[in-house]
């Protein structure tokens, strides 16, 4: 065998299976639902609370292992809790997000950011879920 010849490499076995398709959730797809008498183990945030109480709740909940369900019949408040939850996760100003949601920022979230958001804000419950859902179409791409 000449000095510049390398021994033949052994073949490497590869599995050629199709990877599982990942299911991606949108920012608001399926987020709104009718008010439930039993939300399970999730904490409930009543969005009639003032901004200070909502901010304090979000600071705590984004650092926990559980998510929460927000309850409101107000379309602006539903949009505000989405913006504020994202702000809390990003370390941004929660109170500003509650009063002035940044729609272009929210619409531009990457899928991992949307998934992180959806793991925290589990649902928005409302007595008027269709109206709330319609109001959140401003976040659709």
């Amino acid at each position: 065998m000449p000095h510049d010849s390398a021994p033949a490499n052994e073949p490497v076995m590869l599995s050629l299976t199709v990877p599982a398709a990942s299911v991606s959730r949108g920012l608001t797809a399926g987020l709104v639902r009718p008010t439930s008498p039993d939300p399970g183990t999730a904490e409930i945030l009543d969005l009639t609370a003032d901004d200070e109480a909502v901010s304090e709740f979000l600071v705590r909940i984004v650092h926990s292992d559980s998510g929460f369900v927000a309850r409101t019949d107000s379309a602006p408040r539903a949009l505000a809790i989405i913006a504020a939850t994202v702000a809390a996760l990003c370390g941004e100003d929660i109170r500003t997000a509650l009063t002035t949601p940044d729609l272009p920022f929210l619409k531009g979230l990457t899928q991992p950011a949307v998934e992180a958001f959806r793991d925290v804000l589990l649902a928005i419950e409302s007595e008027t879920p269709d109206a709330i859902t319609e109001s959140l179409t401003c976040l659709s791409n």
Side-chain angles (χ1 to χ4, degrees), residues 3-58:
H3 294 291
D4 60 349
S5 295
N9 289 331
E10 294 294 319
V12 176
M13 300 302 291
L14 297 175
S15 174
L16 298 177
T17 60
V18 177
S22 64
V23 177
S24 61
R25 298 181 284 184
L27 187 62
T28 60
L31 183 64
V32 181
R33 66 186 187 201
T35 303
S36 167
D38 179 21
T41 60
E43 289 190 56
I44 302 295
L45 174 61
D46 182 348
L47 291 178
T48 60
D50 65 24
D51 287 356
E52 184 66 27
V54 171
S55 297
E56 289 173 5
F57 177 88
L58 289 173

Side-chain angles (χ1 to χ4, degrees), residues 26-32 45 47 54 58 62 68 70 72 74-90 93-94 97-103 105-107 109 113-114 116-118 120-124 132-133 135-140:
L27 187 62
T28 60
L31 183 64
V32 181
L45 174 61
L47 291 178
V54 171
L58 289 173
V62 299
F68 74 100
T72 187
S74 163
R77 205 64 172 160
L79 178 58
I81 196 58
I82 292 170
T85 302
V86 170
L89 286 165
C90 294
D93 187 339
I94 298 168
L98 283 167
T99 59
T100 315
D102 185 344
L103 298 182
F105 176 75
L106 293 171
K107 289 171 68 171
L109 291 174
V114 169
F117 160 76
R118 295 296 298 262
V120 175
L121 180 54
L122 304 175
I124 297 174
I132 299 297
T133 298
S135 74
L136 296 178
T137 59
C138 63
L139 295 175
S140 300

